[in-house]
Amino acid sequence: MTPSLIEFRRVVLKVGSALLVDRARSRLNHAWLAALAEDVAELHGRGVEVLVVSSGAVALGRTVLGFGPGALRLEESQAAAAVGQIALARIWSEVLAHQGITAGQILVTLADTEERRRYLNARATLSKLLEMRAVPVVNENDTVATTEIRYGDNDRLAARVATMIEADLLVLFSDVDGLYTAPPATDPAARHVPVVERITPEIDSMAGGAASALSRGGMRTKVEAAKIATAGGTHMLIADGRPKNPLRRVADGARCTWFLTQSSPSTARKTWIGGALEPRGTLVLDEGAARALRGGASLLPVGVTSVSGAFSRGDAVLLRDAAGAILGRGLVAYDAEDAARVIGRSSREIEGILGNGGRAEMIHRDDLVLAG
Ligand code: GLU
């Protein structure tokens, strides 16, 4: 059984350049995009939180700058992205505004999704936009990302963003309707795979060889994206994005490939916090804070009596009670030095102490895992 689209509460839609930009006529597929915005509005109107990962900056910009066909050098594609991203943001903002939806642009680099400190920042901004019912429109910040430190493809970027914000579904719109046992264009015996429960070496081999500059965004990066998504507790689906209203078509039963996760975003995240990260320090909590945590609250600075260790914002720390028993662990929102200055203080006083509008919580409840 595959899930139904309306079961999800937070969905990431990834749209590739080939769908957005009509290369032959050097312009944007405006009618198609306007129809996709209707699909977004339909989900949004049901209370689903929607986030878009959109490519197209390079494809749009290269035309404007008059670069010919063929591979671009790094600085050429960065210049193209700089020009194209402005247009891309404007178009998304317009088509979503037409549906009564506010769009917000977020450009991220690899480091924003891999380094915990920056990851917390990007996540906080995305969460705030979603809370305000805006639709974040995300792309890689291609103008500053260099070869060594970039994703280069928005499939994997979209998967990282999806797990980072604990989306329960990632939809990759492609120019095929899913995964096949062999390349359908060249192999008449190729069969469509409707559901992937686990990414086995066999599934891996169906995706073909490593991505090259030309096969960027091919099945290879989609299966890599599926590994990231499903490990993070996010279901993923590959659907044909070419027809108008592609999401509605999926909801109506159009053929696609589901990659199902065996986990959920919060379980995957808690496993990660609870196990994979080495704690860098310890916070000792008073009785009231320990109780509040067990009741599902975030940890506020006022409930912390002492701090030890040399941790940075985003690191994992252990939480202990006054007697030394371990209460759990979590990702701390302050560096050790700042944490030591704000403990025992009310959230209202923090800005005065640190001289900036820091986070109200020492550890947000989503970043906490309680022991036993
Ligand atoms: N970030 C690139 C762009 O906006 C696209 C990468 C991709 O095609 O996946 O042009």
Side-chain angles (χ1 to χ4, degrees):
M1 276 296 288
T2 53
S4 142
L5 279 188
I6 53 170
E7 291 170 26
F8 298 101
R9 80 195 150 79
R10 187 172 279 183
V11 175
V12 175
L13 305 175
K14 184 262 174 181
V15 181
S17 307
L19 298 173
L20 268 167
V21 183
D22 180 343
R23 288 287 289 281
R25 285 183 288 169
S26 301
R27 58 165 212 210
L28 202 92
N29 287 324
H30 200 279
W32 176 88
L33 187 58
L36 181 64
E38 291 170 6
D39 285 5
V40 170
E42 214 168 294
L43 269 191
H44 190 263
R46 289 172 182 266
V48 178
E49 295 174 332
V50 187
L51 189 146
V52 172
V53 174
S54 176
S55 311
V58 175
L60 281 171
R62 66 184 292 157
T63 312
V64 178
L65 290 178
F67 291 127
L72 296 180
R73 296 216 310 274
L74 179 63
E75 64 275 20
E76 288 172 337
S77 66
Q78 291 183 316
V83 170
Q85 186 61 39
I86 297 181
L88 194 61
R90 195 189 61 226
I91 293 148
W92 274 109
S93 166
E94 274 171 16
V95 294
L96 289 174
H98 193 70
Q99 301 295 332
I101 296 173
T102 303
Q105 174 184 256
I106 308 259
L107 299 178
V108 293
T109 60
L110 187 67
D112 292 325
T113 60
E114 297 301 328
E115 280 171 26
R116 272 197 307 284
R117 168 189 291 260
R118 294 173 58 172
Y119 166 122
L120 290 183
N121 287 336
R123 201 168 64 115
T125 314
L126 288 165
S127 302
K128 191 45 134 188
L129 282 167
L130 293 173
E131 186 192 316
M132 304 310 290
R133 300 294 292 143
V135 169
V137 179
V138 181
N139 196 0
E140 185 160 19
N141 194 348
D142 293 307
T143 55
V144 295
T146 61
T147 324
E148 310 77 57
I149 54 153
R150 72 201 286 254
Y151 281 98
D153 70 87
N154 278 5
D155 294 330
R156 289 177 308 141
L157 172 75
R160 284 298 290 143
V161 168
T163 58
M164 188 163 103
I165 58 156
E166 296 174 52
D168 38 20
L169 176 66
L170 164 65
V171 182
L172 299 184
F173 286 121
S174 175
D175 56 1
V176 285
D177 56 6
L179 180 71
Y180 283 78
T181 52
T186 52
D187 189 340
R191 276 179 302 108
H192 180 263
V193 180
V195 182
V196 176
E197 305 261 2
R198 226 159 41 82
I199 304 173
T200 57
E202 193 191 351
I203 296 291
D204 248 335
S205 70
M206 289 176 195
S212 70
L214 291 175
S215 72
R216 174 171 302 157
M219 207 38 80
R220 173 83 270 150
T221 57
K222 292 190 172 41
V223 171
E224 292 305 322
K227 289 180 189 168
I228 297 170
T230 55
T234 303
H235 293 301
M236 189 184 103
L237 81 84
I238 301 176
D240 189 355
R242 290 168 302 179
K244 272 196 188 168
N245 301 104
L247 198 62
R248 193 178 299 163
R249 287 172 48 94
V250 171
D252 291 344
R255 196 150 89 155
C256 56
T257 297
W258 284 90
F259 290 81
L260 300 179
T261 180
Q262 310 304 330
S263 180
S264 73
S266 58
T267 313
R269 185 168 170 76
K270 301 231 155 168
T271 309
W272 178 64
I273 295 170
L277 300 170
E278 187 63 29
R280 301 275 176 211
T282 300
L283 307 181
V284 178
L285 274 52
D286 68 18
E287 193 49 38
R291 218 178 13 251
L293 249 53
R294 283 193 283 266
S298 295
L299 175 63
L300 301 179
V302 70
V304 182
T305 55
S306 78
V307 170
S308 59
F311 54 84
S312 302
R313 170 171 154 69
D315 279 342
V317 290
L318 278 180
L319 307 177
R320 292 184 187 274
D321 67 13
I326 293 184
L327 297 168
R329 50 171 84 188
L331 302 184
V332 64
Y334 289 98
D335 293 339
E337 203 175 297
D338 285 347
R341 291 166 67 195
V342 299
I343 58 172
R345 303 303 192 101
S346 76
S347 299
R348 259 177 300 111
E349 296 173 285
I350 294 177
E351 185 166 351
I353 299 167
L354 298 179
N356 61 32
R359 314 265 173 219
E361 303 92 6
M362 181 75 88
I363 301 181
H364 191 273
R365 60 172 178 272
D366 294 345
D367 297 330
L368 267 172
V369 182
L370 298 186

